[in-house]
Amino acid sequence: QVLLVESGGGSVQSGGSLRLSCVVSGSTYGTYYMAMAWFRQAPEAPGKGREGVATIDGDDATTYSDAVDGRFTISRDDAKNALYLQMNSLKPEDTAMYYCAANVGRIPRLHMMRGGNYQYWGQGTQVTVSS
């Protein structure tokens, strides 16, 4: 059973930084995730679904939402089966539950921000930014 576990969330003041981690376990030996991503769900928008934040593919190509571009950096360490999200210059509107997601198959870059395209999800880690 594939398991994704996020960590690194917490409470920070506006302008602060956090680094989220996501460790993947339970994969069949040799499994490589061609698409990985971070999504978030804001507390005041439970009916809007999860918002794509950042994605990274098998070639380490990255994409970012307009809301975080220039402030967040996604990276992966395949030797550690890990995905990271470095978040700088945090704003109160970044407050949300953050989820990592992974997919074995390649996802067209245009569709990597769509949560429905991912097979596996973590349980989330809470990020709270105060003004």
Side-chain angles (χ1 to χ4, degrees), residues 4-77:
L4 280 65
V5 179
E6 303 96 334
S7 62
S11 297
V12 295
Q13 290 191 327
S14 182
S17 297
L18 284 172
R19 187 187 192 219
L20 305 184
S21 299
C22 171
V23 176
V24 183
S25 63
S27 302
T28 300
Y29 179 79
T31 296
Y32 186 76
Y33 295 94
M34 294 299 292
M36 302 189 79
W38 289 97
F39 290 77
R40 67 186 182 186
Q41 176 79 58
E44 69 274 11
K48 292 185 64 177
R50 295 175 182 176
E51 171 194 8
V53 174
T55 71
I56 186 166
D57 68 14
D59 298 319
D60 285 341
T62 59
T63 62
Y64 299 92
S65 69
D66 291 342
V68 308
D69 196 11
R71 299 187 296 122
F72 290 10
T73 302
I74 188 172
S75 61
R76 60 191 292 171
D77 185 337

Coordinates of all heavy atoms in Angstrom, one line a residue, residues 4-77:
L4 N 1.7 8.3 1.5 CA 2.3 9.6 1.5 C 2.1 10.3 2.8 O 1.0 10.4 3.3 CB 1.8 10.4 0.4 CG 2.3 10.2 -1.1 CD1 1.8 8.8 -1.6 CD2 1.7 11.3 -2.0
V5 N 3.2 10.7 3.4 CA 3.1 11.4 4.7 C 3.8 12.7 4.7 O 5.0 12.8 4.4 CB 3.7 10.5 5.8 CG1 3.7 11.2 7.2 CG2 3.1 9.1 5.9
E6 N 3.0 13.8 4.9 CA 3.5 15.1 4.9 C 3.9 15.5 6.3 O 3.4 15.0 7.3 CB 2.4 16.1 4.4 CG 1.9 15.9 3.1 CD 0.6 15.1 3.1 OE1 0.3 14.4 4.1 OE2 -0.2 15.3 2.2
S7 N 4.9 16.5 6.4 CA 5.3 17.0 7.6 C 5.9 18.4 7.4 O 6.1 18.8 6.2 CB 6.4 16.2 8.3 OG 7.5 16.1 7.5
G8 N 6.1 19.2 8.4 CA 6.7 20.5 8.3 C 5.8 21.7 8.4 O 6.2 22.8 8.4
G9 N 4.5 21.4 8.5 CA 3.5 22.5 8.7 C 3.7 23.1 10.0 O 4.4 22.6 10.9
G10 N 3.0 24.2 10.2 CA 3.0 24.9 11.5 C 2.4 26.3 11.4 O 1.8 26.7 10.4
S11 N 2.7 27.1 12.4 CA 2.2 28.5 12.5 C 3.4 29.4 12.4 O 4.3 29.3 13.2 CB 1.4 28.7 13.8 OG 0.3 27.9 13.9
V12 N 3.2 30.4 11.5 CA 4.3 31.4 11.3 C 3.7 32.7 11.1 O 2.5 32.8 10.8 CB 5.2 31.1 10.1 CG1 6.0 29.8 10.3 CG2 4.4 31.0 8.8
Q13 N 4.5 33.8 11.3 CA 4.0 35.1 11.0 C 4.2 35.5 9.5 O 5.0 34.9 8.8 CB 4.7 36.1 11.9 CG 4.3 36.0 13.4 CD 4.9 37.2 14.2 OE1 5.9 37.7 13.9 NE2 4.1 37.6 15.2
S14 N 3.4 36.4 9.1 CA 3.5 36.9 7.7 C 5.0 37.2 7.4 O 5.6 37.9 8.2 CB 2.6 38.1 7.5 OG 2.7 38.5 6.2
G15 N 5.5 36.8 6.3 CA 6.8 37.0 5.9 C 7.8 35.9 6.2 O 8.9 35.9 5.8
G16 N 7.3 35.0 7.0 CA 8.1 33.8 7.5 C 8.2 32.8 6.4 O 7.7 32.9 5.3
S17 N 8.9 31.7 6.8 CA 9.2 30.6 5.9 C 8.9 29.2 6.6 O 9.0 29.1 7.8 CB 10.7 30.6 5.4 OG 11.0 31.7 4.7
L18 N 8.5 28.3 5.7 CA 8.3 26.9 6.2 C 8.8 26.0 5.1 O 8.8 26.4 3.9 CB 6.9 26.6 6.5 CG 6.3 27.1 7.8 CD1 4.8 26.9 7.8 CD2 7.0 26.5 9.0
R19 N 9.2 24.8 5.4 CA 9.6 23.8 4.4 C 8.8 22.5 4.7 O 8.9 21.9 5.7 CB 11.1 23.4 4.5 CG 11.5 22.5 3.4 CD 13.0 22.1 3.6 NE 13.5 21.4 2.4 CZ 14.3 20.4 2.4 NH1 14.6 19.8 3.6 NH2 14.8 19.9 1.3
L20 N 7.9 22.2 3.7 CA 7.1 21.0 3.8 C 7.9 19.8 3.2 O 8.6 20.0 2.2 CB 5.8 21.2 3.1 CG 4.9 22.4 3.6 CD1 3.6 22.4 2.9 CD2 4.8 22.4 5.1
S21 N 7.7 18.7 3.8 CA 8.2 17.4 3.3 C 7.1 16.4 3.1 O 6.1 16.4 3.8 CB 9.3 16.9 4.2 OG 10.3 17.7 4.4
C22 N 7.3 15.5 2.1 CA 6.4 14.4 1.9 C 7.2 13.2 1.6 O 8.0 13.2 0.6 CB 5.5 14.8 0.7 SG 4.4 13.4 0.1
V23 N 7.0 12.2 2.3 CA 7.8 10.9 2.1 C 6.8 9.8 1.6 O 5.7 9.6 2.2 CB 8.5 10.4 3.4 CG1 9.2 9.1 3.2 CG2 9.5 11.5 3.9
V24 N 7.2 9.2 0.6 CA 6.4 8.1 -0.1 C 7.0 6.8 0.4 O 8.2 6.5 0.2 CB 6.5 8.2 -1.6 CG1 5.6 7.2 -2.2 CG2 6.1 9.6 -2.0
S25 N 6.1 5.9 0.8 CA 6.5 4.6 1.2 C 5.5 3.5 0.7 O 4.4 3.9 0.2 CB 6.6 4.4 2.8 OG 5.3 4.6 3.3
G26 N 6.0 2.3 0.7 CA 5.1 1.2 0.3 C 5.1 1.0 -1.2 O 4.3 0.1 -1.7
S27 N 5.9 1.7 -2.0 CA 5.9 1.5 -3.4 C 6.6 0.2 -3.8 O 7.5 -0.2 -3.1 CB 6.6 2.7 -4.1 OG 6.0 3.9 -3.8
T28 N 6.2 -0.4 -4.9 CA 6.9 -1.5 -5.4 C 8.3 -1.1 -5.8 O 8.5 0.0 -6.4 CB 6.2 -2.1 -6.7 OG1 4.8 -2.5 -6.3 CG2 6.9 -3.3 -7.2
Y29 N 9.3 -1.9 -5.6 CA 10.7 -1.5 -5.9 C 10.8 -1.1 -7.4 O 10.3 -1.8 -8.3 CB 11.6 -2.7 -5.6 CG 13.0 -2.4 -6.0 CD1 13.8 -1.7 -5.1 CD2 13.6 -2.8 -7.2 CE1 15.1 -1.3 -5.4 CE2 14.9 -2.5 -7.5 CZ 15.7 -1.8 -6.6 OH 17.0 -1.4 -6.8
G30 N 11.4 0.0 -7.6 CA 11.6 0.5 -8.9 C 10.5 1.5 -9.4 O 10.6 2.0 -10.5
T31 N 9.5 1.6 -8.6 CA 8.4 2.6 -9.0 C 8.9 4.0 -9.1 O 9.6 4.4 -8.2 CB 7.2 2.5 -8.0 OG1 6.7 1.2 -8.1 CG2 6.2 3.5 -8.4
Y32 N 8.6 4.7 -10.1 CA 9.0 6.1 -10.3 C 7.8 6.9 -10.6 O 7.0 6.6 -11.5 CB 10.1 6.2 -11.4 CG 10.6 7.6 -11.5 CD1 11.6 8.1 -10.6 CD2 10.2 8.5 -12.5 CE1 12.1 9.3 -10.7 CE2 10.7 9.8 -12.6 CZ 11.6 10.2 -11.7 OH 12.1 11.5 -11.7
Y33 N 7.7 7.9 -9.8 CA 6.5 8.8 -9.9 C 6.8 9.9 -10.9 O 7.6 10.8 -10.7 CB 6.0 9.3 -8.6 CG 5.6 8.2 -7.7 CD1 6.5 7.6 -6.8 CD2 4.3 7.7 -7.7 CE1 6.1 6.6 -6.0 CE2 3.9 6.7 -6.9 CZ 4.8 6.1 -6.1 OH 4.4 5.1 -5.3
M34 N 6.1 9.8 -12.1 CA 6.4 10.8 -13.1 C 5.8 12.2 -12.9 O 6.2 13.2 -13.5 CB 5.8 10.3 -14.5 CG 6.6 9.0 -15.0 SD 8.3 9.3 -15.3 CE 8.2 10.4 -16.7
A35 N 4.9 12.2 -11.9 CA 4.2 13.5 -11.6 C 4.0 13.6 -10.1 O 3.5 12.6 -9.5 CB 2.9 13.6 -12.3
M36 N 4.5 14.6 -9.5 CA 4.3 14.9 -8.1 C 3.9 16.3 -7.9 O 4.2 17.2 -8.7 CB 5.5 14.6 -7.3 CG 6.0 13.1 -7.5 SD 7.3 12.7 -6.3 CE 6.4 12.4 -4.8
A37 N 3.1 16.6 -6.9 CA 2.6 18.0 -6.7 C 2.2 18.2 -5.3 O 2.1 17.4 -4.5 CB 1.4 18.1 -7.6
W38 N 2.1 19.5 -5.0 CA 1.5 20.0 -3.8 C 0.2 20.7 -4.1 O 0.1 21.5 -5.0 CB 2.4 21.0 -3.1 CG 3.6 20.3 -2.5 CD1 4.9 20.2 -3.0 CD2 3.7 19.7 -1.2 NE1 5.7 19.6 -2.2 CE2 5.0 19.2 -1.0 CE3 2.8 19.5 -0.2 CZ2 5.4 18.6 0.1 CZ3 3.2 18.8 1.0 CH2 4.5 18.4 1.1
F39 N -0.8 20.4 -3.3 CA -2.1 21.1 -3.4 C -2.5 21.7 -2.0 O -1.8 21.3 -1.0 CB -3.2 20.1 -3.8 CG -3.1 19.6 -5.2 CD1 -2.2 18.7 -5.6 CD2 -4.0 20.2 -6.2 CE1 -2.1 18.3 -6.9 CE2 -3.9 19.7 -7.5 CZ -3.0 18.8 -7.9
R40 N -3.4 22.6 -2.0 CA -3.8 23.1 -0.7 C -5.3 23.3 -0.7 O -6.0 23.5 -1.7 CB -3.1 24.4 -0.4 CG -3.4 25.6 -1.2 CD -2.5 26.8 -0.9 NE -2.8 27.9 -1.7 CZ -2.1 29.1 -1.6 NH1 -1.0 29.1 -0.8 NH2 -2.4 30.1 -2.4
Q41 N -5.9 23.3 0.5 CA -7.3 23.5 0.8 C -7.5 24.5 1.8 O -7.1 24.3 3.0 CB -8.0 22.2 1.2 CG -9.4 22.3 1.5 CD -10.3 22.3 0.3 OE1 -10.3 21.4 -0.5 NE2 -11.1 23.4 0.2
A42 N -8.0 25.7 1.5 CA -8.2 26.7 2.4 C -9.4 26.4 3.3 O -10.4 25.9 2.8 CB -8.4 28.1 1.7
P43 N -9.4 26.8 4.6 CA -10.5 26.5 5.5 C -11.8 27.2 5.1 O -12.9 26.6 5.4 CB -10.0 27.0 6.8 CG -8.9 28.0 6.5 CD -8.3 27.6 5.2
E44 N -11.7 28.3 4.5 CA -12.9 29.0 4.1 C -13.5 28.6 2.8 O -14.5 29.2 2.4 CB -12.7 30.6 4.2 CG -11.8 31.1 3.0 CD -10.3 31.0 3.4 OE1 -10.0 30.3 4.4 OE2 -9.5 31.5 2.6
A45 N -12.9 27.7 2.2 CA -13.4 27.2 0.8 C -13.5 25.7 0.7 O -12.9 25.1 -0.2 CB -12.4 27.8 -0.2
P46 N -14.2 25.1 1.6 CA -14.2 23.6 1.6 C -14.9 23.1 0.4 O -14.7 21.9 -0.1 CB -15.0 23.2 2.9 CG -15.8 24.5 3.2 CD -15.0 25.6 2.7
G47 N -15.8 23.8 -0.2 CA -16.5 23.4 -1.4 C -15.8 23.6 -2.7 O -16.3 23.2 -3.8
K48 N -14.7 24.3 -2.7 CA -14.0 24.7 -3.9 C -13.0 23.7 -4.4 O -12.5 23.8 -5.4 CB -13.3 26.0 -3.7 CG -14.3 27.2 -3.5 CD -13.5 28.5 -3.5 CE -12.8 28.8 -4.8 NZ -12.1 30.2 -4.7
G49 N -12.8 22.7 -3.6 CA -11.8 21.7 -4.0 C -10.4 22.1 -3.7 O -10.1 23.3 -3.2
R50 N -9.4 21.3 -3.9 CA -8.1 21.5 -3.6 C -7.4 22.3 -4.7 O -7.6 22.0 -5.9 CB -7.3 20.2 -3.4 CG -7.8 19.5 -2.1 CD -7.2 18.2 -2.0 NE -7.7 17.5 -0.8 CZ -7.4 16.3 -0.4 NH1 -6.5 15.6 -1.1 NH2 -7.9 15.7 0.7
E51 N -6.6 23.3 -4.3 CA -6.0 24.2 -5.3 C -4.6 23.7 -5.6 O -3.8 23.5 -4.7 CB -5.9 25.6 -4.7 CG -5.1 26.6 -5.5 CD -4.8 27.9 -4.7 OE1 -5.1 27.9 -3.5 OE2 -4.3 28.8 -5.3
G52 N -4.2 23.6 -6.9 CA -2.9 23.2 -7.2 C -1.9 24.3 -6.9 O -2.2 25.5 -7.2
V53 N -0.8 24.0 -6.2 CA 0.2 25.0 -5.8 C 1.5 24.9 -6.6 O 1.9 25.9 -7.2 CB 0.5 24.8 -4.3 CG1 1.7 25.7 -3.9 CG2 -0.7 25.0 -3.4
A54 N 2.0 23.7 -6.7 CA 3.3 23.5 -7.5 C 3.3 22.0 -7.9 O 2.8 21.1 -7.2 CB 4.4 23.8 -6.6
T55 N 4.0 21.8 -9.1 CA 4.1 20.5 -9.6 C 5.5 20.3 -10.1 O 6.2 21.2 -10.4 CB 3.1 20.2 -10.8 OG1 3.6 21.0 -11.9 CG2 1.7 20.6 -10.5
I56 N 5.9 19.0 -10.2 CA 7.2 18.6 -10.7 C 7.1 17.3 -11.4 O 6.4 16.4 -10.9 CB 8.3 18.6 -9.6 CG1 9.7 18.3 -10.1 CG2 7.9 17.5 -8.5 CD1 10.8 18.6 -9.1
D57 N 7.7 17.2 -12.6 CA 7.6 16.0 -13.4 C 8.8 15.2 -13.3 O 9.8 15.5 -12.6 CB 7.1 16.3 -14.8 CG 8.1 17.0 -15.6 OD1 9.3 17.0 -15.2 OD2 7.7 17.5 -16.7
G58 N 8.9 14.1 -14.1 CA 10.0 13.2 -14.1 C 11.3 13.8 -14.7 O 12.4 13.3 -14.4
D59 N 11.2 14.9 -15.4 CA 12.3 15.6 -15.9 C 12.7 16.8 -15.0 O 13.5 17.6 -15.4 CB 12.0 16.1 -17.3 CG 11.8 15.0 -18.3 OD1 12.5 14.0 -18.2 OD2 10.8 15.1 -19.1
D60 N 12.1 16.8 -13.8 CA 12.3 17.9 -12.8 C 11.8 19.3 -13.3 O 12.2 20.3 -12.8 CB 13.8 18.0 -12.4 CG 14.1 16.9 -11.5 OD1 13.2 16.3 -10.9 OD2 15.4 16.6 -11.3
A61 N 10.9 19.3 -14.4 CA 10.3 20.5 -14.8 C 9.2 20.9 -13.8 O 8.5 20.0 -13.3 CB 9.7 20.3 -16.2
T62 N 9.2 22.2 -13.4 CA 8.3 22.6 -12.4 C 7.3 23.6 -12.9 O 7.5 24.3 -13.9 CB 9.0 23.2 -11.2 OG1 9.8 24.3 -11.7 CG2 10.0 22.2 -10.6
T63 N 6.1 23.7 -12.3 CA 5.1 24.7 -12.5 C 4.6 25.2 -11.2 O 4.6 24.5 -10.2 CB 4.0 24.2 -13.4 OG1 3.3 23.2 -12.7 CG2 4.4 23.7 -14.7
Y64 N 4.1 26.4 -11.2 CA 3.6 27.1 -10.0 C 2.3 27.8 -10.3 O 2.2 28.4 -11.4 CB 4.6 28.0 -9.4 CG 5.9 27.4 -9.0 CD1 7.0 27.3 -9.9 CD2 6.1 26.8 -7.7 CE1 8.2 26.7 -9.5 CE2 7.3 26.2 -7.3 CZ 8.3 26.1 -8.2 OH 9.5 25.5 -7.9
S65 N 1.5 27.9 -9.3 CA 0.3 28.7 -9.4 C 0.7 30.2 -9.4 O 1.8 30.5 -8.8 CB -0.7 28.4 -8.3 OG -0.2 28.9 -7.1
D66 N -0.1 31.0 -10.0 CA 0.3 32.5 -9.9 C 0.4 33.0 -8.5 O 1.2 33.9 -8.2 CB -0.8 33.3 -10.7 CG -0.8 33.0 -12.2 OD1 0.3 32.5 -12.7 OD2 -1.8 33.3 -12.9
A67 N -0.4 32.4 -7.6 CA -0.5 32.9 -6.2 C 0.8 32.7 -5.5 O 1.1 33.4 -4.5 CB -1.6 32.2 -5.5
V68 N 1.6 31.7 -5.9 CA 2.9 31.3 -5.1 C 4.1 31.5 -6.0 O 5.2 31.4 -5.4 CB 2.8 29.9 -4.6 CG1 1.5 29.7 -3.8 CG2 3.0 28.9 -5.7
D69 N 4.0 31.7 -7.2 CA 5.2 31.8 -8.1 C 6.1 32.9 -7.6 O 5.7 34.0 -7.3 CB 4.7 32.1 -9.5 CG 5.8 31.9 -10.6 OD1 6.8 31.3 -10.2 OD2 5.6 32.3 -11.7
G70 N 7.4 32.5 -7.5 CA 8.4 33.4 -7.0 C 8.6 33.4 -5.5 O 9.6 33.9 -5.0
R71 N 7.7 32.7 -4.8 CA 7.8 32.6 -3.3 C 8.1 31.1 -2.9 O 8.7 30.9 -1.9 CB 6.6 33.1 -2.6 CG 6.3 34.6 -2.9 CD 5.2 35.1 -2.1 NE 3.9 34.4 -2.4 CZ 3.2 33.8 -1.5 NH1 3.6 33.7 -0.2 NH2 2.0 33.2 -1.9
F72 N 7.5 30.2 -3.6 CA 7.6 28.8 -3.3 C 8.5 28.1 -4.3 O 8.5 28.4 -5.4 CB 6.2 28.1 -3.3 CG 5.2 28.5 -2.2 CD1 5.5 29.6 -1.4 CD2 4.0 27.9 -2.1 CE1 4.6 30.0 -0.4 CE2 3.1 28.2 -1.1 CZ 3.4 29.3 -0.3
T73 N 9.1 27.0 -3.8 CA 10.0 26.2 -4.6 C 9.7 24.7 -4.3 O 9.8 24.3 -3.2 CB 11.5 26.4 -4.4 OG1 11.7 27.8 -4.6 CG2 12.3 25.6 -5.3
I74 N 9.3 23.9 -5.4 CA 9.1 22.5 -5.2 C 10.4 21.8 -5.7 O 11.1 22.2 -6.6 CB 7.9 22.1 -6.1 CG1 7.5 20.6 -5.8 CG2 8.1 22.3 -7.6 CD1 6.2 20.2 -6.4
S75 N 10.7 20.7 -5.0 CA 11.8 19.9 -5.4 C 11.5 18.4 -4.9 O 10.6 18.2 -4.2 CB 13.1 20.4 -4.7 OG 13.0 20.3 -3.3
R76 N 12.3 17.5 -5.5 CA 12.2 16.1 -5.1 C 13.5 15.5 -4.9 O 14.5 15.9 -5.6 CB 11.4 15.4 -6.2 CG 12.0 15.4 -7.6 CD 11.0 14.9 -8.7 NE 10.8 13.4 -8.5 CZ 9.8 12.8 -9.2 NH1 9.1 13.4 -10.1 NH2 9.6 11.5 -9.0
D77 N 13.6 14.5 -4.1 CA 14.8 13.7 -3.9 C 14.4 12.2 -4.1 O 13.8 11.6 -3.1 CB 15.4 13.9 -2.5 CG 16.7 13.2 -2.3 OD1 17.0 12.2 -3.0 OD2 17.5 13.6 -1.4

